[in-house]
């Protein structure tokens, strides 16, 4: 089971592509077809409903293979969405590389009616006043190096001025480079075709790349891939969750799929542990038991009867009291994993309670979230499979900053894996970093991290996953895709709550 592929520099990518495709125009065109078709299918699956019926589309096509990818994608989008009106801005035919010209003729020959308009890329400024539903940009690729030609600069400036509901780049936004540039195409989403390049992940390029979607076209399928062992920077594969789709044995028992214990909740944050539990029970666990303050348990049992709710004493602040320890300890022998912290608060008693639970449950795999991510609690959590799921503010309690170096070093210090939540979630075990790019601003709201903690806890019970890092990778991917499905349903990122995302966990597979 392979969960991630390496992220390469543009130079490494060129060399690696060359080793796979050689000088074969046929192989290069087959790769172009696969990349373009996967891009189109992925785009339509996420944004097709958002674009609406009979959308107007502008294709910005360069002379090279990135332009060819865009042309293949445009042809496929036209096939997927009926009534589409297409404008293609492209250089003169004599400037196109052979495979790009081939892709253009195929697009033109497949398009019937009056819904196709071809203009020269140099005339892009003339349509600045028009509005499109989709702009698909394939002007340059990883081979771009400054200084930028005047005609390319003018095309990018014009493209950024044209209004569109969705702007998408093929592989790398035009003008983006390994150093900051003044003129870059500003995309809402970028589809990394075949290889995810480091260019996309520089902080200065993030505002231009938008949502990053990695498209696997088989480049890393070979066991002879030289980069798996020497790289430390990876991206989650699109098929990372395939193992969860396999049929379970017909003679199954709930105990065979793990029993997750959740400890959290308080009068101040009563909803977090409900989100935890609902995510966990949908994450494949056979049993979920949640230990919550006593006043919350009856209502929660009525709201989510699939979970075992155990009411516990609370302290004067409404958080779990230290005297809950005896009740929890008596049941620990039934647990397969722990998920602790969501809605917990940092009360003195609840912190002491968590430390005691961890000391009494040393072998159990554990997820720590939110207020459980503190130095004194991490000290009590030593010598176990441990995954942390902090946002950046919580991570700063245990690390000097949120850089890649700090993430690696913090994981080494505490002997843990960490899924550091952000627009791109970084999962590390102290040796490598895997970037999870799925999801969208749908997740920029309270409660989304509680879903991640619940899914992570469920996956820590899964025997197919070898490590806490694997659980963090799969949980982040699953949450991200679920958020995309929620967006597709609503056609907006605004009118959604985190509890709505839970409804799409099943379709997130």
């Amino acid at each position: 089971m392979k969960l991630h592929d390496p992220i390469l520099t543009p130079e490494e990518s060129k060399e690696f592509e060359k080793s796979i495709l050689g000088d074969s125009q046929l192989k290069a065109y087959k790769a172009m077809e696969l990349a373009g078709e996967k891009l189109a299918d992925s785009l339509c699956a996420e944004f097709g409903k958002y674009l609406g019926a009979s959308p107007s589309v502008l294709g910005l096509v360069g002379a090279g293979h990135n332009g060819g990818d865009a042309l293949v994608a445009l042809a496929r989008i036209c096939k997927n969405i009926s009534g589409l009106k297409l404008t293609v801005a492209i250089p003169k035919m004599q400037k196109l590389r052979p495979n790009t010209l081939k892709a253009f003729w195929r697009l033109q020959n497949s398009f019937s009616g009056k819904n196709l308009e071809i203009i020269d890329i140099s005339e892009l400024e003339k349509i600045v006043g028009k509005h499109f539903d989709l702009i698909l940009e394939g002007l340059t690729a990883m081979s771009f190096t400054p200084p930028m030609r005047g005609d390319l600069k003018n095309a990018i400036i014009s493209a950024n001025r044209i209004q569109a509901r969705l702007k998408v780049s093929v592989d790398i936004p035009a003008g983006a480079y390994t150093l900051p540039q003044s003129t870059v195409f500003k995309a809402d989403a970028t589809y990394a075709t075949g290889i995810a390049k480091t260019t996309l992940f520089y902080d200065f390029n993030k505002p231009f790349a938008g949502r990053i979607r990695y498209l696997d076209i088989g480049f890393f399928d070979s066991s002879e891939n030289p980069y798996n062992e020497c790289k430390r920077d990876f991206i989650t594969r699109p098929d990372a969750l395939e193992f969860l789709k396999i049929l379970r044995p017909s003679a199954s028992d709930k105990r065979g799929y793990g029993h997750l214990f959740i400890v959290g909740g308080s009068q101040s944050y009563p909803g977090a542990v409900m989100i935890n539990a609902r995510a966990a029970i949908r994450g494949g666990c056979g049993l979920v038991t949640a230990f919550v303050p006593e006043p919350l348990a009856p209502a929660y049992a009525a709201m989510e009867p699939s979970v075992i709710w155990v009411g516990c004493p609370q302290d004067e602040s409404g958080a779990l009291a230290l005297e809950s320890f005896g009740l929890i300890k008596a049941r620990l022998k039934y647990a397969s994993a722990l998920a602790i912290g969501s809605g917990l608060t940092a009360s003195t008693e609840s912190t002491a309670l968590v430390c005691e639970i961890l000391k009494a449950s040393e072998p159990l795999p554990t997820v720590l979230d939110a207020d459980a991510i503190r130095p004194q609690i991490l000290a009590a959590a030593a010598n176990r499979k441990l995954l942390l799921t902090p946002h950046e503010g919580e991570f700063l309690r245990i690390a000097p900053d949120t850089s890649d170096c700090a993430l690696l070093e913090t994981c080494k210090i505490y002997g843990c894996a960490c899924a550091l939540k952000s627009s791109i979630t970084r999962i590390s075990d102290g040796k490598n970093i895997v970037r999870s790019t799925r999801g969208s601003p749908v997740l920029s709201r309270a409660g989304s991290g509680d879903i991640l903690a619940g899914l992570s806890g469920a996956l820590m019970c899964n025997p197919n996953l070898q490590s806490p890092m694997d659980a963090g990778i799969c949980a982040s991917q699953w949450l991200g895709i679920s958020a995309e499905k929620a967006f597709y349903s609503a056609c907006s990122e605004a009118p959604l709550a985190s509890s709505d995302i839970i409804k799409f966990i099943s379709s997130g597979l």
Side-chain angles (χ1 to χ4, degrees):
M1 185 169 62
K2 192 177 179 187
L3 300 181
H4 47 73
D5 286 333
I7 297 171
L8 305 184
T9 66
E11 293 74 21
E12 290 169 335
S13 298
K14 290 177 202 173
E15 182 181 333
F16 190 45
E17 280 194 14
K18 181 75 171 176
S19 71
I20 296 169
L21 305 177
D23 296 319
S24 170
Q25 290 292 318
L26 178 60
K27 286 184 178 179
Y29 190 77
K30 290 293 184 184
M32 182 185 291
E33 275 192 318
L34 190 55
E37 289 174 1
K38 284 204 169 189
L39 190 161
D41 291 346
S42 180
L43 188 156
C44 291
E46 186 172 353
F47 297 107
K49 186 178 176 183
Y50 173 74
L51 293 175
S54 304
S56 57
V57 178
L58 172 62
L60 305 177
V61 178
H65 284 171
N66 226 39
D69 291 349
L71 288 165
V72 173
L74 289 168
R76 183 79 161 201
I77 292 170
C78 293
K79 184 178 179 181
N80 291 346
I81 303 176
S82 60
L84 183 148
K85 302 174 186 66
L86 177 62
T87 301
V88 178
I90 192 168
K92 291 180 172 53
M93 297 297 104
Q94 59 267 31
K95 293 184 178 181
L96 302 185
R97 294 177 67 175
N99 278 338
T100 307
L101 182 61
K102 182 179 179 180
F104 174 74
W105 290 127
R106 287 197 172 183
L107 169 67
Q108 194 171 46
N109 291 337
S110 67
F111 219 98
S112 59
K114 300 178 181 179
N115 288 342
L116 176 62
E117 179 185 8
I118 308 297
I119 65 171
D120 193 275
I121 194 71
S122 64
E123 299 179 349
L124 198 58
E125 188 175 1
K126 294 180 181 179
I127 62 169
V128 163
K130 288 190 175 182
H131 181 277
F132 293 88
D133 295 300
L134 168 66
I135 295 177
L136 181 63
E137 177 272 313
L139 291 172
T140 63
M142 59 186 174
S143 57
F144 166 75
T145 54
M148 184 179 292
R149 303 187 318 271
D151 57 340
L152 175 60
K153 183 175 182 178
N154 291 337
I156 295 172
I157 291 171
S158 295
N160 282 337
R161 292 172 58 200
I162 297 172
Q163 297 297 308
R165 297 190 73 200
L166 176 67
K167 294 187 176 184
V168 171
S169 282
V170 179
D171 206 39
I172 297 173
Y177 187 58
T178 54
L179 295 171
Q181 301 297 306
S182 59
T183 305
V184 181
F185 180 75
K186 194 174 191 307
D188 299 301
T190 297
Y191 289 79
T193 51
I195 303 170
K197 286 83 175 175
T198 54
T199 309
L200 293 174
F201 300 97
Y202 291 118
D203 286 341
F204 50 79
N205 282 332
K206 286 180 181 178
F208 304 104
R211 301 151 182 79
I212 297 171
R213 302 291 182 256
Y214 168 51
L215 304 174
D216 170 36
I217 60 173
F219 281 175
F220 294 102
D221 289 350
S222 171
S223 59
E224 297 178 4
N225 160 30
Y227 292 106
N228 277 335
E229 299 302 324
C230 66
K231 301 295 285 187
R232 76 165 197 186
D233 209 5
F234 298 85
I235 190 167
T236 308
R237 286 175 59 91
D239 60 356
L241 303 180
E242 286 299 308
F243 73 98
L244 291 168
K245 300 178 183 179
I246 298 171
L247 288 176
R248 291 177 168 184
S250 56
S252 288
D253 180 88
K254 60 188 175 185
R255 294 166 188 81
Y257 299 105
H259 190 168
L260 178 68
F261 276 22
I262 296 174
V263 180
S266 63
Q267 295 292 343
S268 298
Y269 302 104
V273 73
M274 171 62 76
I275 293 174
N276 267 178
R278 283 183 161 166
I281 203 67
R282 290 162 178 80
C285 262
L287 291 157
V288 175
T289 295
F291 298 88
V292 299
E294 179 67 49
L296 303 179
Y300 281 6
M303 293 167 64
E304 186 53 78
S306 300
V307 174
I308 303 164
W309 298 95
V310 180
C312 299
Q314 63 181 27
D315 65 16
E316 59 184 14
S317 72
L320 288 169
L322 179 57
E323 63 183 289
S324 305
F325 176 61
L327 186 154
I328 297 171
K329 182 182 179 182
R331 300 176 183 234
L332 280 174
K333 60 186 177 182
Y334 301 113
S336 307
L338 305 173
I340 302 175
S342 296
L344 187 71
T345 81
S347 82
T348 302
E349 287 210 37
S350 61
T351 300
L353 170 65
V354 171
C355 289
E356 291 302 316
I357 292 170
L358 292 170
K359 290 172 186 175
S361 62
E362 188 172 300
L364 285 179
T366 300
V367 176
L368 295 181
D369 184 44
D371 281 313
I373 301 173
R374 298 181 182 278
Q376 65 269 42
I377 292 178
L378 292 181
N383 303 315
R384 70 180 64 225
K385 291 182 176 180
L386 179 62
L387 173 65
L388 314 182
T389 56
H391 59 58
E392 292 184 347
E394 293 160 348
F395 185 69
L396 289 173
R397 297 184 198 138
I398 59 171
D401 57 61
T402 60
S403 65
D404 286 353
C405 289
L407 176 58
L408 289 163
E409 186 60 26
T410 301
C411 290
K412 289 177 186 175
I413 290 171
Y414 290 106
C416 66
C418 179
L420 180 52
K421 297 174 290 195
S422 190
S423 57
I424 296 176
T425 293
R426 290 170 289 159
I427 307 98
S428 180
D429 58 359
K431 299 174 184 176
N432 300 305
I433 294 176
V434 176
R435 299 176 193 273
S436 178
T437 62
R438 300 304 295 264
S440 72
V442 167
L443 295 171
S444 299
R445 47 182 33 91
S448 62
D450 301 316
I451 302 175
L452 180 66
L455 288 174
S456 297
L459 290 168
M460 290 282 267
C461 296
N462 193 303
N464 293 304
L465 296 175
Q466 301 300 310
S467 68
M469 185 173 180
D470 288 351
I473 291 167
C474 292
S476 300
Q477 182 87 340
W478 201 347
L479 173 60
I481 297 174
S482 301
E484 292 167 21
K485 298 290 185 181
F487 161 74
Y488 185 88
S489 174
C491 279
S492 172
E493 292 168 337
L496 292 163
S498 291
S499 52
D500 296 322
I501 299 171
I502 294 173
K503 302 170 188 174
F504 294 91
I505 287 176
S506 59
S507 57
L509 293 181

